[in-house]
Every structure is written in C-alpha cells, then in structure tokens.
C-alpha cells in the first residue's frame, strides 16, 4: 500500500465540487485515510509550495490557494501516487484527458481543482506538512 497527498483547491470547494471529487477518488479504488478542511495563510502556502518560489506564477499560485478553504487528504492504495495523478489528469485542464478531475472541475491551469504529490519523497513531505501519525488511518 502506497500513500499520496491530495488537496482539493478553493475553486473546487467553493464551486461545490468537493463531494464529486471524493466520490471519484473512492470509485477509483483509492481509500481516503485522512482528511481535513482548512484555510492556508500566505506564509503556510508559500512554505507548502516552496519549490515553486522562483517561478513566474508563484504569487498567483499563493493568491489562488489562499482564496478559500482547501480539503487536504491522504489517499492510500496500490501505486497511489501514479493512480491519483492519472485520475487528476494534466495540470492544464484544457490538455487533461476526458473524465479526469482537472478536465471535469478545473477552470484554468492556475485554478486546476486538485493537487497531488508527484513522487514518493514529495508525498512524504506533503503528508507530514498537514498530518501527524494519529490522524492517518492505517
Ligand atoms: P499544483 O499541482 O498545485 O502544483 C503547482 C501549481 O501551480 C499547479 O498545480 C498549477 O495550479 C499552478 N500553475 C500555475 N501556472 C502554472 C504553470 N505555467 N505550470 C505549472 N503549474 C502552474
């Protein structure tokens, strides 16, 4: 069993699409083993997305991710990281495959509905950024 980190972004939560995204996650076979809703401060968001600090889109990214509540989750399953990336689709909703979360619920590359870890090291860092061991159902 592998674990990955998922974030349902403000545009999806405020747009009333969080439940549909969770249903799609469960129907894909991945299990939600931890979950909470919170609103990130700009400082917390900057720390979470520190790897993008030098990118041209950084300020807009922080603005979007702090615009409302997010739902953070730990997902578990076989090949969870790759499976969730497949379910999310490409970062740009316009280029994402039909039926993927970003294609269905993303508005633009900046507001692409969901975030998921890109590799095992990132998953570990992102999960522990938000959750302690007691909050994760094993
Ligand atoms: P996410 O998976 O949350 O990781 C970083 C985010 O930056 C990405 O999704 C996008 O929402 C956002 N972003 C904005 N512009 C770009 C871009 N040109 N390339 C990649 N990500 C971008």
């Amino acid at each position: 069993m592998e674990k990955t980190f998922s974030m349902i972004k403000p545009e999806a939560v405020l747009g009333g699409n969080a439940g549909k995204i969770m249903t799609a996650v469960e129907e894909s076979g991945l299990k939600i083993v931890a979950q909470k809703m919170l609103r990130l401060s700009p400082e917390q968001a900057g720390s979470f997305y520190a790897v993008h600090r030098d990118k041209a889109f950084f300020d807009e990214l922080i603005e979007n991710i702090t615009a409302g509540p997010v739902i953070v989750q730990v997902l578990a399953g076989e090949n969870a990281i790759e499976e969730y990336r497949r379910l999310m689709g490409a970062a740009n909703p316009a280029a994402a495959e039909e039926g993927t979360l970003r294609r269905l619920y993303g508005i633009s590359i900046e507001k692409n509905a969901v975030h998921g870890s890109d590799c095992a090291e990132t998953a570990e860092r992102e999960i522990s950024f938000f959750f302690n061991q007691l909050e994760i159902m094993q």
Side-chain angles (χ1 to χ4, degrees):
M1 278 292 174
E2 186 175 65
K3 290 193 185 75
T4 191
F5 173 78
S6 158
M7 185 189 290
I8 304 177
K9 299 186 179 187
E11 60 274 12
V13 176
L14 296 173
N17 292 317
K20 284 172 266 184
I21 289 170
M22 288 179 214
T23 297
V25 166
E26 291 184 325
E27 286 178 347
S28 78
L30 290 167
K31 299 257 182 290
I32 301 170
V33 294
Q35 173 165 285
K36 55 191 166 191
M37 182 185 277
L38 52 94
R39 187 165 182 171
L40 287 166
S41 69
E43 292 71 28
Q44 290 166 331
S47 171
F48 179 76
Y49 278 126
V51 66
H52 296 304
R53 209 172 277 281
D54 296 332
K55 308 262 173 65
F57 58 80
F58 182 73
D59 288 350
E60 198 179 354
L61 173 61
I62 300 309
E63 196 176 309
N64 286 325
I65 211 73
T66 58
V70 297
I71 295 172
V72 290
Q73 303 172 311
V74 179
L75 309 180
E78 220 170 287
N79 295 319
I81 296 171
E82 197 187 317
E83 287 302 320
Y84 190 52
R85 290 185 70 75
R86 198 201 320 268
L87 183 65
M88 288 193 298
N92 187 349
E97 253 185 73
E98 207 70 55
T100 59
L101 298 177
R102 284 165 166 167
R103 179 65 175 259
L104 286 166
Y105 306 115
I107 297 161
S108 61
I109 190 165
E110 294 84 8
K111 296 185 178 180
N112 59 0
V114 284
H115 164 83
S117 309
D118 61 1
C119 65
E121 292 71 33
T122 313
E124 209 175 300
R125 175 188 171 270
E126 293 181 340
I127 289 169
S128 59
F129 189 94
F130 287 101
F131 296 97
N132 66 46
Q133 280 309 309
L134 287 174
E135 296 171 311
I136 303 170
M137 305 305 111
Q138 303 291 340

